[in-house]
Amino acid sequence: MLFNTIEFFIFLPTVFVLYWFVFPKNLKYQNLLVLVSSYVFYGWWDYRFLSLIFLSTVIDYFIALEMEKSDKERKRKQLLGASMVFNLGMLGFFKYYNFFVDSWVYAFQTAGFEMEHTWTLQIVLPVGISFYTFQTMSYTIDVYRKNLRPTKDFISFASFVSFFPQLVAGPIERATNLLPQILKKRTFSYEKGVQGLRLILWGLFKKVVIADSLAPLVNDIFENYGAYDGGTLLLGAIYFAFQIYCDFSGYSDIAIGVSKLFGFELMSNFKFPYFSRNIGEFWRRWHISLSTWFRDYLYIPLGGSRNGKWASLKNIFIIFIVSGFWHGANWTFMIWGLIHALLYIPSFIFNTNRKYLSYGVAENKVLPTLKEIFQMGTTFFCVTIAWVFFRSNSLGDALSYISKLFLDFMMPQSKLQGIGYVIILMTLEWGLRNDERLTVISKYVIVRLLFYMFIAFQVLRFFGVVQTDFIYFQF
């Protein structure tokens, strides 16, 4: 089920009414409703893949309980290993099997050998498999580390794994944050409900008005890049940068907003990343739930920054390349990750990667300084060029696109209509840049009213005109 469909706007109020008006005082029934609703939400796409979520849930539920019973470190490691092997094995089989088979065949053909009768999977990738496998793995890892005690309440744990607002495209929640909220009684908060509706509206604006309007322009430019000049190709890359941002952050905003309606607080997943002044700051603002997941469950266990510069550089490359591979079974994603590693390294070497922890761009100012404009422009340009690899179907397409962009550059004569959407978004986000939860739009009631009236009008105007799946569903 998609957030930007009529079906969802029938589903959501139905669940809301049952949750708060039929089962307002019974936590067990509320959690059961969340679980059933989550399975309906996911099964609306393809009910057959519900078995994968259920199997992952059952295995990690019992593995965590067995960990709690055992005092032997060796057995606990074996149990954790079993959880990791199952979840990563399931992810690898459905998402990467064909990639490895095709790469193996290509390597042999390059060496002069012909391979016949290779078996590939003729099935679609289960939506959101990369998200919910990482979510349930956070549970077993935290139980192993004794950061969290396992729950014996299977319904609550299953609700955590399949929580419908963020099930298929995040944020990737930690068990230490979301599970305790599921296990305790919740009461309706009018303030949270209003905040949730604001975020839902803002997320729909970014998805329906901006991302879906830019999608046809992006598709045409990338699919026919040979017919356009370099200036138009640059526009195509910029449009994709905003399409994927509005598409993905829009989903996260809706997920956080819907969760607030039911009394849950999810982590922030985006904090205006295109106002970043270097790559380090960009990755603290972009897909935060994934970048912090890799930091806590891979980078730090590998040694982090504790064993000297060279070991740290190795770990950085591993993190970024694995992050790229997480996004998809294509060499383009790994090159995208490698590019970000190369962009991040200078910042790490000169200790500027954590420079902007305490303050945002143009702090307490209306406009940025010339230095900040240059920093943001440079960072955005580098990120945008890297997005070409992310969007392209193959390495050959990406390299041809970029070479034509630079070697055949002329001021664009077509596809200019998307610039208006970019300007509108950046103007609005600049005013909101210190408040990604939209808690304080303005102290003036009339300003807030006009803002939400404008957003609502635009969503209604564009709703259903161009309807596309959320980009991150494929991951």
Side-chain angles (χ1 to χ4, degrees):
M1 192 179 297
L2 300 177
F3 285 157
N4 56 329
T5 59
I6 296 297
E7 291 88 346
F8 181 73
F9 286 98
I10 296 173
F11 169 83
L12 179 60
T14 302
V15 177
F16 181 86
V17 169
L18 291 173
Y19 186 87
W20 288 118
F21 293 96
V22 178
F23 309 118
K25 297 181 180 179
N26 193 312
L27 179 62
K28 184 176 181 180
Y29 286 148
Q30 280 188 330
N31 288 343
L32 181 59
L33 176 64
V34 169
L35 177 60
V36 172
S37 301
S38 298
Y39 274 51
V40 170
F41 179 86
Y42 190 84
W44 200 269
W45 166 71
D46 193 325
Y47 69 90
R48 293 172 298 175
F49 290 112
L50 285 171
S51 59
L52 297 181
I53 299 178
F54 182 73
L55 187 59
S56 180
T57 300
V58 170
I59 288 176
D60 283 337
Y61 171 78
F62 284 108
I63 281 178
L65 291 178
E66 287 300 313
M67 276 189 199
E68 179 76 1
K69 294 178 185 177
S70 178
D71 294 326
K72 296 181 179 179
E73 181 65 16
R74 183 178 178 182
K75 184 177 180 181
R76 289 170 59 83
K77 282 186 177 180
Q78 288 174 341
L79 289 167
L80 176 62
S83 171
M84 301 289 281
V85 167
F86 171 77
N87 285 292
L88 293 177
M90 182 174 66
L91 178 62
F93 180 73
F94 282 96
K95 188 169 183 177
Y96 300 108
Y97 177 85
N98 287 350
F99 169 77
F100 285 118
V101 169
D102 292 340
S103 298
W104 184 262
V105 170
Y106 178 76
F108 268 81
Q109 289 176 342
T110 302
F113 298 96
E114 290 294 329
M115 295 187 67
E116 298 181 358
H117 308 299
T118 56
W119 183 66
T120 56
L121 296 174
Q122 301 300 318
I123 61 171
V124 294
L125 177 69
V127 167
I129 189 171
S130 297
F131 289 90
Y132 66 75
T133 51
F134 270 41
Q135 184 150 309
T136 187
M137 280 196 296
S138 79
Y139 174 73
T140 52
I141 294 172
D142 284 336
V143 169
Y144 170 76
R145 292 177 174 178
K146 298 184 179 181
N147 295 332
L148 179 74
R149 295 199 66 182
T151 178
K152 295 181 180 179
D153 185 339
F154 179 79
I155 298 299
S156 295
F157 177 67
S159 299
F160 156 72
V161 175
S162 62
F163 189 50
F164 76 87
Q166 46 80 236
L167 172 60
V168 294
I172 303 170
E173 272 298 338
R174 307 293 181 87
T176 50
N177 177 48
L178 182 55
L179 186 57
Q181 295 184 64
I182 293 175
L183 290 168
K184 71 178 183 181
K185 184 175 175 58
R186 300 171 290 276
T187 56
F188 180 74
S189 166
Y190 174 79
E191 183 181 356
K192 275 189 178 182
V194 171
Q195 291 174 0
L197 291 174
R198 289 173 179 170
L199 283 168
I200 292 170
L201 186 60
W202 180 236
L204 285 171
F205 173 80
K206 288 198 283 187
K207 168 59 177 173
V208 174
V209 179
I210 307 297
D212 285 355
S213 295
L214 291 174
L217 299 172
V218 171
N219 292 341
D220 181 63
I221 293 172
F222 272 85
E223 289 169 10
N224 304 287
Y225 64 86
Y228 293 109
D229 57 75
T232 304
L233 297 186
L234 179 59
L235 271 184
I238 291 172
Y239 290 164
F240 178 67
F242 284 98
Q243 180 201 357
I244 193 170
Y245 167 63
C246 289
D247 192 284
F248 192 17
S249 69
Y251 184 97
S252 294
D253 289 338
I254 297 170
I256 294 168
V258 170
S259 299
K260 281 179 174 288
L261 295 180
F262 295 95
F264 298 96
E265 284 289 341
L266 302 185
M267 69 181 297
S268 293
N269 211 19
F270 291 87
K271 293 186 177 181
F272 310 104
Y274 290 151
F275 296 139
S276 301
R277 289 154 288 185
N278 61 31
I279 293 296
E281 187 179 17
F282 174 81
W283 278 103
R284 287 194 298 276
R285 293 173 174 271
W286 177 274
H287 202 174
I288 300 167
S289 63
L290 180 67
S291 58
T292 55
W293 199 100
F294 277 123
R295 179 196 66 196
D296 295 340
Y297 296 121
L298 186 58
Y299 181 71
I300 292 176
L302 285 173
S305 304
R306 299 189 301 271
N307 300 317
K309 287 285 186 182
W310 288 109
S312 300
L313 292 176
K314 176 199 69 175
N315 294 338
I316 288 169
F317 274 103
I318 290 173
I319 290 299
F320 277 106
I321 292 173
V322 171
S323 175
F325 198 44
W326 175 91
H327 282 84
N330 195 320
W331 290 103
T332 55
F333 294 112
M334 281 187 278
I335 296 299
W336 173 78
L338 177 62
I339 290 171
H340 274 277
L342 294 172
L343 293 172
Y344 186 85
I345 291 302
S347 182
F348 176 79
I349 291 175
F350 294 106
N351 296 315
T352 61
N353 57 309
R354 299 179 64 80
K355 184 176 180 180
Y356 302 112
L357 288 174
S358 59
Y359 64 96
V361 65
E363 189 81 7
N364 300 319
K365 299 176 184 177
V366 176
L367 298 174
T369 64
L370 290 176
K371 179 182 177 181
E372 288 175 326
I373 291 173
F374 175 78
Q375 290 173 321
M376 289 189 293
T378 303
T379 302
F380 177 75
F381 179 78
C382 293
V383 168
T384 297
I385 296 301
W387 280 132
V388 173
F389 286 89
F390 194 98
R391 176 58 179 78
S392 297
N393 294 323
S394 67
L395 286 179
D397 285 337
L399 294 172
S400 296
Y401 190 106
I402 290 174
S403 64
K404 191 168 177 33
L405 187 158
F406 286 107
L407 298 177
D408 186 28
F409 189 85
M410 295 174 60
M411 292 303 294
Q413 302 298 316
S414 62
K415 307 297 182 184
L416 299 175
Q417 60 268 42
I419 295 175
Y421 299 114
V422 172
I423 292 173
I424 290 171
L425 175 74
M426 294 301 282
T427 301
L428 292 174
E429 291 224 323
W430 182 257
L432 301 169
R433 68 188 183 280
N434 297 315
D435 183 21
E436 85 280 1
R437 296 286 177 121
L438 308 184
T439 52
V440 184
I441 296 295
S442 171
K443 63 180 180 180
Y444 302 108
V445 176
I446 187 64
V447 174
R448 295 198 300 270
L449 181 62
L450 289 174
F451 175 80
Y452 288 114
M453 285 178 63
F454 171 77
I455 296 300
F457 174 76
Q458 295 301 324
V459 169
L460 291 172
R461 178 183 167 211
F462 283 84
F463 195 87
V465 175
V466 179
Q467 190 175 76
T468 64
D469 289 349
F470 287 86
I471 294 174
Y472 266 67
F473 275 21
Q474 65 184 295
F475 306 136

